[in-house]
PDB file of all heavy atoms in Angstrom:
ATOM      1  N   HIS A  57     -26.633  -1.259  -6.921  1.00 98.00           N
ATOM      2  CA  HIS A  57     -27.801  -2.140  -7.024  1.00 98.00           C
ATOM      3  C   HIS A  57     -27.777  -2.878  -8.359  1.00 98.00           C
ATOM      4  O   HIS A  57     -27.961  -2.270  -9.419  1.00 98.00           O
ATOM      5  CB  HIS A  57     -29.099  -1.342  -6.887  1.00 98.00           C
ATOM      6  CG  HIS A  57     -30.322  -2.213  -6.797  1.00 98.00           C
ATOM      7  ND1 HIS A  57     -30.589  -3.016  -5.717  1.00 98.00           N
ATOM      8  CD2 HIS A  57     -31.338  -2.439  -7.676  1.00 98.00           C
ATOM      9  CE1 HIS A  57     -31.719  -3.675  -5.910  1.00 98.00           C
ATOM     10  NE2 HIS A  57     -32.194  -3.357  -7.096  1.00 98.00           N
ATOM     11  N   SER A  58     -27.566  -4.181  -8.287  1.00 98.00           N
ATOM     12  CA  SER A  58     -27.476  -4.997  -9.503  1.00 98.00           C
ATOM     13  C   SER A  58     -28.224  -6.308  -9.319  1.00 98.00           C
ATOM     14  O   SER A  58     -28.187  -6.922  -8.250  1.00 98.00           O
ATOM     15  CB  SER A  58     -25.993  -5.309  -9.770  1.00 98.00           C
ATOM     16  OG  SER A  58     -25.842  -6.458 -10.604  1.00 98.00           O
ATOM     17  N   HIS A  59     -28.904  -6.729 -10.383  1.00 98.00           N
ATOM     18  CA  HIS A  59     -29.346  -8.118 -10.525  1.00 98.00           C
ATOM     19  C   HIS A  59     -28.654  -8.595 -11.805  1.00 98.00           C
ATOM     20  O   HIS A  59     -29.162  -8.361 -12.909  1.00 98.00           O
ATOM     21  CB  HIS A  59     -30.865  -8.226 -10.681  1.00 98.00           C
ATOM     22  CG  HIS A  59     -31.649  -7.497  -9.623  1.00 98.00           C
ATOM     23  ND1 HIS A  59     -31.744  -7.939  -8.324  1.00 98.00           N
ATOM     24  CD2 HIS A  59     -32.339  -6.330  -9.666  1.00 98.00           C
ATOM     25  CE1 HIS A  59     -32.481  -7.087  -7.618  1.00 98.00           C
ATOM     26  NE2 HIS A  59     -32.853  -6.105  -8.409  1.00 98.00           N
ATOM     27  N   GLN A  62     -30.222 -10.267 -15.000  1.00 97.00           N
ATOM     28  CA  GLN A  62     -31.175  -9.559 -15.866  1.00 97.00           C
ATOM     29  C   GLN A  62     -30.495  -8.974 -17.110  1.00 97.00           C
ATOM     30  O   GLN A  62     -31.167  -8.498 -18.025  1.00 97.00           O
ATOM     31  CB  GLN A  62     -31.921  -8.490 -15.062  1.00 97.00           C
ATOM     32  CG  GLN A  62     -32.843  -9.146 -14.030  1.00 97.00           C
ATOM     33  CD  GLN A  62     -33.583  -8.159 -13.148  1.00 97.00           C
ATOM     34  OE1 GLN A  62     -33.638  -6.967 -13.447  1.00 97.00           O
ATOM     35  NE2 GLN A  62     -34.153  -8.648 -12.058  1.00 97.00           N
ATOM     36  N   PHE A 116     -27.772  -7.703  -5.448  1.00 98.00           N
ATOM     37  CA  PHE A 116     -29.005  -7.935  -4.684  1.00 98.00           C
ATOM     38  C   PHE A 116     -29.560  -9.249  -5.210  1.00 98.00           C
ATOM     39  O   PHE A 116     -30.196  -9.300  -6.254  1.00 98.00           O
ATOM     40  CB  PHE A 116     -29.953  -6.752  -4.938  1.00 98.00           C
ATOM     41  CG  PHE A 116     -31.157  -6.650  -4.051  1.00 98.00           C
ATOM     42  CD1 PHE A 116     -31.292  -5.600  -3.152  1.00 98.00           C
ATOM     43  CD2 PHE A 116     -32.189  -7.566  -4.146  1.00 98.00           C
ATOM     44  CE1 PHE A 116     -32.423  -5.469  -2.355  1.00 98.00           C
ATOM     45  CE2 PHE A 116     -33.323  -7.450  -3.359  1.00 98.00           C
ATOM     46  CZ  PHE A 116     -33.441  -6.396  -2.466  1.00 98.00           C
ATOM     47  N   TYR A 118     -31.531 -12.673  -5.414  1.00 96.00           N
ATOM     48  CA  TYR A 118     -32.654 -13.504  -4.995  1.00 96.00           C
ATOM     49  C   TYR A 118     -32.753 -14.813  -5.781  1.00 96.00           C
ATOM     50  O   TYR A 118     -33.735 -15.530  -5.677  1.00 96.00           O
ATOM     51  CB  TYR A 118     -33.987 -12.734  -4.973  1.00 96.00           C
ATOM     52  CG  TYR A 118     -34.360 -11.996  -6.234  1.00 96.00           C
ATOM     53  CD1 TYR A 118     -35.026 -12.627  -7.269  1.00 96.00           C
ATOM     54  CD2 TYR A 118     -34.081 -10.638  -6.356  1.00 96.00           C
ATOM     55  CE1 TYR A 118     -35.378 -11.934  -8.420  1.00 96.00           C
ATOM     56  CE2 TYR A 118     -34.435  -9.935  -7.504  1.00 96.00           C
ATOM     57  CZ  TYR A 118     -35.077 -10.589  -8.527  1.00 96.00           C
ATOM     58  OH  TYR A 118     -35.428  -9.903  -9.664  1.00 96.00           O
ATOM     59  N   HIS A 179     -36.344  -8.248   0.251  1.00 97.00           N
ATOM     60  CA  HIS A 179     -36.686  -8.008  -1.159  1.00 97.00           C
ATOM     61  C   HIS A 179     -37.635  -6.819  -1.311  1.00 97.00           C
ATOM     62  O   HIS A 179     -37.383  -5.915  -2.104  1.00 97.00           O
ATOM     63  CB  HIS A 179     -37.280  -9.241  -1.843  1.00 97.00           C
ATOM     64  CG  HIS A 179     -37.622  -8.949  -3.277  1.00 97.00           C
ATOM     65  ND1 HIS A 179     -38.818  -8.388  -3.650  1.00 97.00           N
ATOM     66  CD2 HIS A 179     -36.888  -9.056  -4.411  1.00 97.00           C
ATOM     67  CE1 HIS A 179     -38.803  -8.172  -4.957  1.00 97.00           C
ATOM     68  NE2 HIS A 179     -37.649  -8.571  -5.438  1.00 97.00           N
ATOM     69  N   HIS A 206     -35.870  -2.995  -1.663  1.00 97.00           N
ATOM     70  CA  HIS A 206     -36.653  -2.265  -2.675  1.00 97.00           C
ATOM     71  C   HIS A 206     -37.794  -1.556  -1.944  1.00 97.00           C
ATOM     72  O   HIS A 206     -38.533  -2.199  -1.185  1.00 97.00           O
ATOM     73  CB  HIS A 206     -37.291  -3.241  -3.674  1.00 97.00           C
ATOM     74  CG  HIS A 206     -36.335  -3.954  -4.579  1.00 97.00           C
ATOM     75  ND1 HIS A 206     -36.249  -5.320  -4.636  1.00 97.00           N
ATOM     76  CD2 HIS A 206     -35.449  -3.494  -5.492  1.00 97.00           C
ATOM     77  CE1 HIS A 206     -35.341  -5.678  -5.552  1.00 97.00           C
ATOM     78  NE2 HIS A 206     -34.840  -4.582  -6.077  1.00 97.00           N
ATOM     79  N   GLU A 209     -41.208   1.167  -5.367  1.00 93.00           N
ATOM     80  CA  GLU A 209     -40.819   1.240  -6.776  1.00 93.00           C
ATOM     81  C   GLU A 209     -42.022   1.597  -7.644  1.00 93.00           C
ATOM     82  O   GLU A 209     -41.881   2.248  -8.670  1.00 93.00           O
ATOM     83  CB  GLU A 209     -40.213  -0.108  -7.219  1.00 93.00           C
ATOM     84  CG  GLU A 209     -39.722  -0.111  -8.664  1.00 93.00           C
ATOM     85  CD  GLU A 209     -38.947  -1.366  -9.055  1.00 93.00           C
ATOM     86  OE1 GLU A 209     -38.913  -2.315  -8.241  1.00 93.00           O
ATOM     87  OE2 GLU A 209     -38.376  -1.393 -10.152  1.00 93.00           O
ATOM     88  N   VAL A 240     -33.829   1.194  -2.021  1.00 97.00           N
ATOM     89  CA  VAL A 240     -33.597   1.138  -3.460  1.00 97.00           C
ATOM     90  C   VAL A 240     -34.835   1.660  -4.195  1.00 97.00           C
ATOM     91  O   VAL A 240     -35.956   1.257  -3.862  1.00 97.00           O
ATOM     92  CB  VAL A 240     -33.274  -0.295  -3.903  1.00 97.00           C
ATOM     93  CG1 VAL A 240     -33.023  -0.354  -5.405  1.00 97.00           C
ATOM     94  CG2 VAL A 240     -32.076  -0.833  -3.143  1.00 97.00           C
ATOM     95  N   HIS A 241     -34.629   2.532  -5.145  1.00 96.00           N
ATOM     96  CA  HIS A 241     -35.649   3.241  -5.943  1.00 96.00           C
ATOM     97  C   HIS A 241     -36.272   4.382  -5.129  1.00 96.00           C
ATOM     98  O   HIS A 241     -36.019   5.536  -5.401  1.00 96.00           O
ATOM     99  CB  HIS A 241     -36.763   2.326  -6.478  1.00 96.00           C
ATOM    100  CG  HIS A 241     -36.267   1.185  -7.301  1.00 96.00           C
ATOM    101  ND1 HIS A 241     -35.547   1.376  -8.453  1.00 96.00           N
ATOM    102  CD2 HIS A 241     -36.349  -0.161  -7.132  1.00 96.00           C
ATOM    103  CE1 HIS A 241     -35.225   0.210  -8.966  1.00 96.00           C
ATOM    104  NE2 HIS A 241     -35.698  -0.740  -8.189  1.00 96.00           N
ATOM    105  N   CYS A 257     -31.876   4.220  -9.724  1.00 98.00           N
ATOM    106  CA  CYS A 257     -31.483   3.406 -10.875  1.00 98.00           C
ATOM    107  C   CYS A 257     -32.202   3.994 -12.094  1.00 98.00           C
ATOM    108  O   CYS A 257     -33.097   3.347 -12.658  1.00 98.00           O
ATOM    109  CB  CYS A 257     -31.874   1.952 -10.657  1.00 98.00           C
ATOM    110  SG  CYS A 257     -31.332   1.285  -9.052  1.00 98.00           S
ATOM    111  N   ASP A 280     -29.131  -1.912 -11.758  1.00 98.00           N
ATOM    112  CA  ASP A 280     -30.351  -2.679 -11.513  1.00 98.00           C
ATOM    113  C   ASP A 280     -30.630  -3.736 -12.584  1.00 98.00           C
ATOM    114  O   ASP A 280     -30.043  -4.799 -12.572  1.00 98.00           O
ATOM    115  CB  ASP A 280     -31.529  -1.707 -11.337  1.00 98.00           C
ATOM    116  CG  ASP A 280     -32.797  -2.371 -10.826  1.00 98.00           C
ATOM    117  OD1 ASP A 280     -32.744  -3.556 -10.455  1.00 98.00           O
ATOM    118  OD2 ASP A 280     -33.859  -1.718 -10.796  1.00 98.00           O
ATOM    119  N   SER A 281     -31.491  -3.455 -13.553  1.00 97.00           N
ATOM    120  CA  SER A 281     -31.904  -4.467 -14.540  1.00 97.00           C
ATOM    121  C   SER A 281     -30.921  -4.581 -15.699  1.00 97.00           C
ATOM    122  O   SER A 281     -31.160  -5.369 -16.613  1.00 97.00           O
ATOM    123  CB  SER A 281     -33.271  -4.099 -15.099  1.00 97.00           C
ATOM    124  OG  SER A 281     -33.150  -2.933 -15.895  1.00 97.00           O
TER     125      SER A 281
HETATM  126 ZN1   ZN B 143     -33.799  -4.278  -8.027  1.00 91.56          ZN
END
Side-chain angles (χ1 to χ4, degrees):
H57 188 68
S58 159
H59 308 287
Q62 292 178 15
F116 192 113
Y118 53 86
H179 180 275
H206 292 122
E209 182 172 8
V240 180
H241 304 300
C257 310
D280 191 8
S281 69

